[in-house]
Amino acid sequence: MREDQERLERLTLADWATFADESRGRESDTPPCPRRTCFQRDRDRIVHCKAFRRLGHKTQVFISPEGDHYRDRLTHTLEVAQIARTIARSLRLNEDLTEAVALGHDLGHTPFGHVGERTLDSLCSEIGGFHHNRQSLRVVDCLERDGDGLNLTYEVRNGIVCHTGTAHAETPEGRIVHFADRIAYVNHDIDDAVRAGLIVPADLPREAVRVLGATHGDRIDTMVADMVRYGETEHDIGMSAEVHDAMMELRAYLFREVYAGQAQEEAHKVDGLLRTMHAYFTRHTDELPEFYKKHIERDGAERVACDYIAGMTDRFAVAKYTELFIPRSWNIK
């Protein structure tokens, strides 16, 4: 069955796609699956790992939002995967590889969104800092399966670590996820900010709205269609200058009006909570879970404490902080 699918890729995918039977392989040799291509297998390993399940209780933008319809890190991931798959399918690129990268791209994100990431980055400045894309790679390489990692293919790992920052993924499928990530969060963060009453649609930059559209659906459709046209013409991944500039104008607006504004009004509390716990677990390594203790000699107490905290969900972080630092009520019987 796997070989049939690999032959089908050769018949249906574009000649600049990444083919499963040409993968650079895994760090540890593993017999191939008889039913799934290597990229399908990677997608399944990501979906079934613990870090993926925790995304459902990690902040996207709004810290502890009251309401059932705000995005969390899991719904963001699913939106990125949907957008990325649509682009890959339209360009006849490898949809399985694209989906695996998209589903794994944020596995290393901290609790409390980018506030948590900034705090851990400052705490780890002397040991290389903290960046969620690198931590996502660390999760799949070193932390999942009790330290054995998921043993993913080179192409999926490269796409995960290169989904943000200045480095570009080596595969077109990985580069799709870089754009799909921005398309997703720019649009759903506008949606969530409007729902929260932080902005109104009329306040969005007029030129960006003229180019991309006035609604959530119109903007995504414009950007996806533009990427498809670009890919068909250039045989590469990108956007036209007009659409890209409009997207970045919206992104700048969000940073100015939402990310640095009211959506982060609890940020100082998050910063204090994470700093206090990192200092505590760096000094009290004996109170770390057994799995993390095994890596102290190899990675050092600061990095291991960072790994533990980065893997927490928002609610677990609050519960752990409460357990450690908030006095319990005294019940007299």
Side-chain angles (χ1 to χ4, degrees), residues 284-304:
H284 301 88
T285 55
D286 58 306
E287 295 189 35
L288 288 166
E290 289 301 320
F291 162 72
Y292 291 97
K293 292 179 187 178
K294 296 188 296 185
H295 300 291
I296 293 173
E297 184 174 350
R298 182 190 68 185
D299 299 325
E302 289 187 359
R303 177 59 67 188
V304 171

Side-chain angles (χ1 to χ4, degrees), residues 58-66 70-71 111-116 118 259 262-271 314 318:
K58 291 193 176 191
T59 289
Q60 174 64 23
V61 171
F62 294 90
I63 298 171
S64 300
E66 301 227 350
Y70 292 98
R71 272 75 170 187
F112 308 112
H114 291 286
V115 176
R118 287 196 298 270
Y259 302 151
Q262 298 177 61
Q264 304 303 312
E265 61 185 11
E266 298 291 290
H268 66 286
K269 298 178 184 177
V270 168
D271 182 77
D314 295 21
V318 171

Side-chain angles (χ1 to χ4, degrees), residues 52-77:
F52 186 80
R53 297 196 291 276
R54 291 196 298 267
L55 294 176
H57 299 284
K58 291 193 176 191
T59 289
Q60 174 64 23
V61 171
F62 294 90
I63 298 171
S64 300
E66 301 227 350
D68 294 332
H69 298 125
Y70 292 98
R71 272 75 170 187
D72 54 41
R73 192 61 60 179
L74 178 59
T75 53
H76 162 73
T77 294

